[in-house]
């Protein structure tokens, strides 16, 4: 499946990828600045943006990300105390996907005009999320940028929020998790996502705007879990579940992990493909059911399953590759940590990812 | 000198400080999450936001910041290849001010709509600045955020740019530099700043807008260094000088440093006050002459020296406290590293900072 410059979310995935590759190429030329010195980047990870840096015997990971347009939902609802979970999830779960246990986080809040109470709510939520993820917030900056920051016009404060997290390579790992040791027949364990996390909001908001108009956040929510959320705004603001403690517990228990994929922008197949090395593929036939809000958006917005699985996590937020003999123990450990987890499929010797979901079979080359 | 809620820059320093303190208080409650574990924050720095974190024997610093409204000047001039120096200066020079040698940087670019060529120019400049500062760019993220990002309407792309830098405590230091070992009579060495760095743009842009109107960036520049810049836009875009290599060289040479202040928002006195501990004060009577662009802005905007020294660096970007007997060696080393440096004054047993400048004597309690 290829992406095109015209797409339902209204932005170009191709141009974004090209700019990111170019930025990475400029960055890679700076790696030599730390050659043989503290902060030396690991050069031995094939593909992607290596985020391992070494200080003496310590092997650290670093990850930066923001929570993007999900913030508009918080502005619409005037509720800011759950975004901290989204912020930490983006970077902490990228780190644990490579085997780095998140330890510290530094955050930057860019605002148009400062509102003390909004920042207080944000930081309270960040504090709660940091305790959940067992990280320390060891850096922060608030910048007042006037008209450089926009958002929902009715909000007390418009803002963007991003962070950089640091983690330490789990002591049981000789190398960061990359998928290189995975084999055909290995089991894939899925962790359920109870929310949108911080991706896919362009398509979702476009759909909600079209169906319900400007104040879509006030429209009554009518997904199959309508008991959980009164309005579409509430359904769209549901916070990200942070998976890093659960995956760290798998490593603590000595369970064999051969690759972990954090399902963010690009959906299940694209993100899982990144851990498929050596020509391997996968058939995932028992993924979690689509998140009810995503299912309902497909119905009211006439969005195909192909499109939905390309932009949204569809109810699965993380995939863990383990050995068949350990799959039950991995599921049990994750459940003991409080996560919904189940075996979702197997790796195959043939390349490509096949998702067998209620809507049919989706194949990705 | 106190700040007030009404000020010439158009934003509230008091409210910003209160929000920052509150954010820090929430953050500090999370430090216990890493107690006795990798990523443990150092708890023994009094005041301010401790940014030391420990991994085994390694003692790292972390610093996050952005380049704020200086970006508008780049948008006006459609020139983006110098902002990387500003971006790295903000965090690298905060780190070296505490004795951490910057090693790695992760950056986040938030854009309204992506322009490949603008990002290419930005990353080329970041690459150049990273080579100057001897850091590796080991993380990055580009996010397309539509109307959440604003700026100069005529620009190809509006964006905000921030980064988080990591550094390692210089091996010669038993503790981060904090000013605690400074004594009355110690010398203060100033490093000249050839530019605005990334602070003070609210007041400067407000002044230029008032004097020259909407297209102030095209107004001919008439400061005393008019041979350097053709327009006010060029004068305001002049990139930050990154001091960290020069200060690291002082530490490498074993010269005794008792405190280093990075002169950012708040000006010389406010930033230098942070390294004055144990009731010490300072008289700085041979600071560098005001930056010509700042001097000229004072004239055309009828801005007092009191105000200018509160918002702008006025030509001094970093202050280094050393022993009297080492002052000449510190100056010589900095000059050998390519910086303009000179002794600017002495610490005093009496508290308060006094600046004796061409415009008169400015006293800060």
């Amino acid at each position: 499946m290829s992406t095109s410059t015209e797409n339902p979310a209204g932005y170009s995935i191709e141009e974004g990828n090209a700019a990111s590759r170019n930025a990475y190429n400029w960055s890679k030329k700076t790696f030599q600045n730390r050659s043989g010195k503290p902060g030396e980047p690991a050069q031995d990870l094939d593909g992607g943006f290596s985020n391992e840096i070494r200080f003496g015997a310590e092997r650290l990971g670093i990850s930066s990300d923001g929570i993007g347009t999900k913030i508009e939902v918080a502005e619409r609802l005037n509720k800011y105390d759950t975004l901290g979970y989204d912020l930490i999830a983006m970077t902490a779960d990228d780190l644990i996907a490579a085997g780095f246990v998140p330890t510290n986080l530094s955050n930057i809040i860019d605002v148009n005009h400062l509102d003390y109470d909004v920042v207080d709510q944000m930081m309270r939520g960040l504090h709660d999320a940091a305790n959940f993820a067992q990280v320390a917030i060891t850096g922060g900056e608030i910048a007042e940028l006037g008209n450089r920051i926009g958002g929902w016009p009715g909000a007390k404060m418009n803002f963007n929020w991003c962070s950089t997290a640091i983690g330490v390579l789990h002591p049981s790992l000789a190398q960061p998790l990359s998928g290189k040791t995975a084999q055909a027949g290995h089991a894939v364990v899925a962790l359920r996502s109870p929310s949108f996390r911080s991706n896919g909001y362009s398509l979702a908001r476009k759909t909600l705007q079209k169906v319900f108009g400007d104040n879509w956040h006030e429209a009554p929510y009518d997904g199959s879990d309508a008991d959980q959320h009164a309005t579409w705004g509430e359904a769209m603001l549901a916070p990200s579940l942070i998976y890093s403690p659960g995956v760290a517990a798998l490593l603590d228990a000595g369970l064999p992990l051969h690759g972990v994929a954090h399902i963010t922008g690009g959906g299940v197949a694209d993100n899982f493909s990144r851990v498929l090395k050596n020509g391997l593929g996968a058939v995932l036939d028992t993924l979690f059911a689509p998140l009810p809000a995503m299912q309902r958006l497909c119905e009211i917005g006439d969005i195909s399953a192909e499109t939905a699985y390309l932009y949204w996590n569809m109810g699965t937020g993380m995939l863990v590759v383990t050995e068949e003999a350990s799959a039950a123990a991995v599921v049990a450990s994750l459940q003991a940590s409080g996560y919904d987890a189940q075996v979702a499929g197997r790796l195959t010797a043939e390349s490509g990812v096949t998702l067998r979901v209620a809507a049919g079979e989706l194949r990705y080359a």
Side-chain angles (χ1 to χ4, degrees), chain A:
Chain A
M1 176 171 279
S2 68
T3 58
S4 78
T5 51
E6 290 296 322
N7 69 63
Y11 59 88
S12 165
I13 292 177
E14 273 180 356
E15 188 171 9
N17 288 344
S20 292
R21 270 194 307 275
N22 182 52
Y24 172 64
N25 287 338
W26 280 116
S27 300
K28 194 165 185 179
K29 290 180 203 287
T30 69
F31 285 8
Q32 64 183 3
N33 288 329
R34 303 309 307 170
S35 181
K37 301 177 192 168
E40 180 170 19
Q43 301 272 4
D44 53 353
L45 295 182
D46 55 346
F49 199 153
S50 159
N51 60 3
E52 183 193 349
I53 49 182
R54 296 180 184 178
F55 293 88
E58 301 295 323
R59 300 171 69 178
L60 306 186
I62 184 166
S63 173
S64 292
D65 211 346
I67 52 175
T69 54
K70 188 169 190 171
I71 293 170
E72 186 190 302
V73 187
E75 290 174 346
R76 285 169 175 266
L77 299 185
N78 193 32
K79 175 172 166 53
Y80 307 95
D81 61 351
T82 59
L83 291 177
Y85 287 88
D86 298 299
L87 188 71
I88 292 185
M90 293 307 284
T91 51
D93 288 347
D94 271 0
L95 286 175
I96 200 68
F100 297 100
V101 179
T103 58
N104 301 81
L105 187 123
S106 188
N107 73 110
I108 298 180
I109 307 173
D110 286 341
V111 309
N112 56 352
H113 299 295
L114 192 61
D115 185 290
Y116 182 96
D117 293 329
V118 173
V119 174
D120 181 58
Q121 274 194 51
M122 291 164 64
M123 290 303 300
R124 175 159 52 82
L126 188 66
H127 159 271
D128 295 348
N131 286 351
F132 181 90
Q134 287 294 292
V135 303
I137 310 295
T138 35
E141 179 71 20
I142 303 171
E144 213 164 345
L145 299 180
N147 68 357
R148 302 198 67 77
I149 300 296
W152 180 241
K156 286 185 192 169
M157 175 181 107
N158 292 137
F159 60 101
N160 289 316
W161 202 8
C162 63
S163 77
T164 295
I166 296 173
V168 60
L169 190 65
H170 192 278
S172 70
L173 297 174
Q175 293 293 332
L177 294 171
S178 69
K180 276 198 274 191
T181 58
Q183 295 176 14
H186 278 171
V188 182
V189 173
L191 284 87
R192 196 174 80 86
S193 172
S195 72
F196 264 85
R197 304 180 73 77
S198 299
N199 300 106
Y201 279 81
S202 293
L203 176 58
R205 290 185 303 124
K206 201 174 157 189
T207 304
L208 290 163
Q209 175 82 28
K210 193 171 64 181
V211 176
F212 298 113
D214 285 345
N215 289 314
W216 57 257
H217 58 286
E218 295 172 354
Y221 174 67
D222 59 354
S224 64
D225 58 343
D227 55 320
Q228 305 284 314
H229 310 292
T231 62
W232 269 103
E234 288 178 24
M236 296 304 297
L237 187 59
S240 300
L241 180 58
I242 301 170
Y243 300 115
S244 58
V247 178
L250 298 177
L251 293 165
D252 290 344
L255 290 163
L257 303 189
H258 294 284
V260 176
H262 180 199
I263 310 305
T264 56
V268 171
D270 183 57
N271 284 287
F272 190 58
S273 293
R274 298 184 196 191
V275 304
L276 292 171
K277 305 287 166 66
N278 308 314
L280 294 174
V283 175
L284 304 177
D285 48 12
T286 48
L287 288 164
F288 283 99
L291 188 72
M294 295 173 182
Q295 182 66 44
R296 188 69 188 131
L297 276 175
C298 287
E299 295 162 6
I300 64 177
D302 196 20
I303 295 166
S304 69
E306 285 78 3
T307 295
Y309 274 90
L310 185 62
Y311 286 95
W312 298 333
N313 66 56
M314 296 304 280
T316 296
M318 187 162 268
L319 292 168
V320 175
V321 178
T322 188
E323 293 163 19
E324 181 65 33
S326 301
V330 165
V331 169
S333 171
L334 290 169
Q335 289 173 341
S337 295
Y339 298 90
D340 283 344
Q342 64 191 29
V343 173
R346 302 285 180 291
L347 298 195
T348 58
E350 303 76 41
S351 64
V353 175
T354 299
L355 309 183
R356 290 198 187 114
V357 297
E361 183 168 293
L362 306 174
R363 298 175 64 90
Y364 304 80

